[in-house]
Amino acid sequence: MSAILSAEVIDLLNSQETAKILATVDEHGHPHAVVKKSLHNGGDGNIHLLEILESSHTGRNLLGALWFGRKVSISLLGKEGRQVQIKGKPLKCHISGPLFQRNYVKLRERLGDVDLAAVWVIEPEEVIDADFAERKARQDKERPTLIHLDRLLKETAV
Amino acid sequence: MAALVTLVKNRYREEPSFDETLAGHPGFPRLVALKIDVQRRGVSYTDRAQAAVDPAIHQLRSPYIFGSRDGAIKPLPESLLLRDGTTILTDPTPLEQDPYIVDYLDGEFVLVDNGEVREAVELWSKPAYYGKFTSSGQPMSHIVSARPQRLNVFQSSFCYFWAEDKGCKFCDIVTHTKQQREELGVPNRLRPEDVRETVTEALKESGRFTSLCFTAGSVIKGDTLFDREVDFYVELLQAIGEIFRTKKFPSQLIGSAFNEKQLTRLYEETGLSSYTSDLEVLDEEQFNWLCPGKAKWVGYKEWRERLVRAVDIFGRGNVGTGLVSGIELARPHGFSSEKDALSATLSEAEYLAERGVTTVYIVWVPRPGSALRGQKAPSLDYFIRLAQGLQDLRVKYKLRVDFDDYRRCGNHPDSDLARLQ
Ligand code: SF4
């Protein structure tokens, strides 16, 4: 079990107002990035996803990732503009059992007559601060030569 | 227990290890290969694992149409689930036959081989209706048994082929039925009211079940061959149909090779949504040897053509046939090489797939109550190639297998692969 999700990231994950994108790839390397509002903190150190459709492209890619060791990526954008990227791997797919059934009931209470195909468990392996100001400050500090020269000109030189 | 197993580990099979075999199939999922291997070799529960089984939350073995490898009916877990949702239907196997060991370590059940933990597993959850009784006083678990997402209705546990000593050679239905009746009091034939009542109770558990499967032995009686068998199913399906708001409901009937009139009746008069009739082995000579009853009353080619004709009634992707894979290599009349067996099987499966019939297999378990007892199933490599070959045919002919997939059945390694289709 991993414990790399900070309280701030957990809040972002659990907020209804956070935009959540899950990116997966298929066996040919074709990317597939979609909004997945149901991504949430699983409470076990992992991120859980409710996959409603059995025929879902994401579901197939997650299975391929679990079977063949591919990674997935999650991007979170909070309502205040906070951005975080999480890289991880699918660990488990609940298609029955207590966790599945609990989520099935809760989902139907919330959304009405829908089904549930699986509860996916994604283990976070790396959390990257994707906040623009943070990233810019880091690059400016660590790699100051990555800059267009015109930005370095003295005002009097123009 | 693991140490003991290492000591008694014998040369039950002379073959490459699991990892060596899998290395030859980099595109094949390890978890599905593990499922195959566990089904092929069976399991043995350590005392520690048995002590960790909680009958209040875990599903223990319920009456089943066929028997198990150890020939005993014991209160052990029904079966296992892998972390990708793959079901492993397997049964307790004597240690001298080199099974996987199910142990309980650090708070979880694990599959152990050669003293090494191979994977964590979960036991099936006990359905809420187990432990309840029908109004006629029958334990509901004796009427309808559960898989993680499916309800099994084994309508009768008698096969008329056995009456003339023409039962399929791998089958132990009658031996096992007798044992279940004597040891558990399981009824020989189900009453539709008991089934309807049990299914209604089972479906009170939200999110648990996705399909119903009906099967039984062959019943050759009636004005036309199998008419009585169809009568039983129609009666049962109509009784269950009363509880659903749609005419059709997700269901599979695994029956004899019915004629068009019988199939039309089933399709039009009931809510049945798919039809399966098992050829068991895809080779006429072997069929005649291994399935003498089916061969005598219907014949291989006619059985096959009835399946093809069923596609006109149930539609592409809703008709299938099952194989007991491995019997095609049984002694003394089976194929002499796995290569020949594979190519014969896949070529016949292609004939069927072209015509809209999908083929799935179960791993042959030489059961002690069957005529082929004491033999060994083929190699893991063979079963991997067969699973991939059958799934490739589904992709090639754009055939779906939703009615018999990882969730609605869980007993076919080849249709587990259809999850990526
Ligand atoms: S048809 Fe064959 S496999 Fe089926 S129950 Fe009868 S003897 Fe057994």
Side-chain angles (χ1 to χ4, degrees), chain B residues 82-157:
Chain B
L82 291 171
R83 66 190 160 89
D84 62 346
T86 294
T87 297
I88 308 180
L89 278 132
T90 186
D91 44 23
T93 302
L95 279 174
E96 57 276 15
Q97 289 179 26
D98 186 26
Y100 277 80
I101 303 298
V102 179
D103 204 348
Y104 189 73
L105 299 172
D106 302 326
E108 62 180 4
F109 292 94
V110 288
L111 275 172
V112 178
D113 188 31
N114 248 334
E116 239 181 79
V117 173
R118 304 303 304 211
E119 192 67 37
V121 283
E122 283 186 9
L123 305 186
W124 294 4
S125 302
K126 180 184 174 180
Y129 76 92
Y130 270 37
K132 296 191 174 166
F133 291 81
T134 62
S135 42
S136 65
Q138 294 284 342
M140 287 186 170
S141 63
H142 286 190
I143 304 293
V144 176
S145 57
R147 286 191 186 169
Q149 296 257 303
R150 163 172 125 173
L151 290 166
N152 283 330
V153 184
F154 299 143
Q155 186 252 8
S156 113
S157 324

Side-chain angles (χ1 to χ4, degrees), chain B residues 109-318:
Chain B
F109 292 94
V110 288
L111 275 172
V112 178
D113 188 31
N114 248 334
E116 239 181 79
V117 173
R118 304 303 304 211
E119 192 67 37
V121 283
E122 283 186 9
L123 305 186
W124 294 4
S125 302
K126 180 184 174 180
Y129 76 92
Y130 270 37
K132 296 191 174 166
F133 291 81
T134 62
S135 42
S136 65
Q138 294 284 342
M140 287 186 170
S141 63
H142 286 190
I143 304 293
V144 176
S145 57
R147 286 191 186 169
Q149 296 257 303
R150 163 172 125 173
L151 290 166
N152 283 330
V153 184
F154 299 143
Q155 186 252 8
S156 113
S157 324
F158 189 77
C159 178
Y160 281 76
F161 294 155
W162 277 64
E164 294 207 18
D165 204 17
K166 291 208 178 314
C168 301
K169 296 231 171 344
F170 52 85
C171 176
D172 65 353
I173 189 170
V174 173
T175 330
H176 183 59
T177 300
K178 200 162 157 277
Q179 191 184 11
Q180 285 194 148
R181 193 177 50 230
E182 284 165 5
E183 295 182 27
L184 301 176
V186 175
N188 259 356
R189 183 171 293 289
L190 302 180
R191 296 167 62 242
E193 315 84 80
D194 286 338
V195 177
R196 183 180 50 219
E197 206 184 328
T198 306
V199 172
T200 308
E201 186 61 36
L203 298 186
K204 288 180 185 164
E205 192 177 0
S206 294
R208 172 75 204 231
F209 299 107
T210 56
S211 72
L212 284 148
C213 176
F214 302 85
T215 192
S218 281
V219 181
I220 54 181
K221 292 187 170 176
D223 291 343
T224 310
L225 185 74
F226 304 133
D227 266 357
R228 283 286 292 285
E229 186 178 332
V230 173
D231 288 343
F232 292 138
Y233 284 126
V234 168
E235 191 189 10
L236 194 57
L237 283 156
Q238 285 179 342
I240 292 171
E242 287 170 15
I243 70 172
F244 293 112
R245 60 183 163 80
T246 51
K247 175 159 192 269
K248 292 282 170 196
F249 49 90
S251 47
Q252 178 186 27
L253 186 158
I254 308 174
S256 298
F258 302 136
N259 63 32
E260 279 160 286
K261 199 169 150 214
Q262 292 162 336
L263 289 167
T264 305
R265 212 182 138 206
L266 278 165
Y267 188 76
E268 287 179 356
E269 294 178 20
T270 78
L272 184 66
S273 61
S274 77
Y275 167 70
T276 297
S277 190
D278 295 338
L279 271 162
E280 322 286 9
V281 60
L282 292 184
D283 176 86
E284 186 161 7
E285 261 179 49
Q286 311 249 351
F287 181 84
N288 292 343
W289 166 51
L290 292 160
C291 308
K294 293 186 179 198
K296 176 182 166 189
W297 275 283
V298 181
Y300 180 81
K301 289 206 174 70
E302 177 60 14
W303 199 290
R304 195 182 61 179
E305 294 320 304
R306 286 181 178 210
L307 278 164
V308 172
R309 292 197 286 270
V311 176
D312 294 334
I313 296 162
F314 280 85
R316 276 176 70 83
N318 298 321

Side-chain angles (χ1 to χ4, degrees), chain A residues 54 60 63-64 66-68 91-98 100-101 104-105 113 117-118, chain B residues 27 29 31 81 83-85 122 125 148-149 205-208 406-408 416 419-421:
Chain A
E54 184 86 61
R60 278 203 306 279
L63 181 68
L66 191 156
W67 277 355
F68 302 111
L91 210 57
K92 194 164 177 170
C93 171
H94 292 262
I95 62 150
S96 64
F100 176 86
Q101 285 181 232
Y104 177 88
V105 172
D113 189 20
Chain B
L31 290 174
L81 267 172
R83 66 190 160 89
D84 62 346
E122 283 186 9
S125 302
Q149 296 257 303
E205 192 177 0
S206 294
R208 172 75 204 231
Y406 78 107
R407 184 191 298 270
R408 274 142 288 262
D416 288 343
R419 292 173 76 179
L420 288 187
Q421 189 177 337

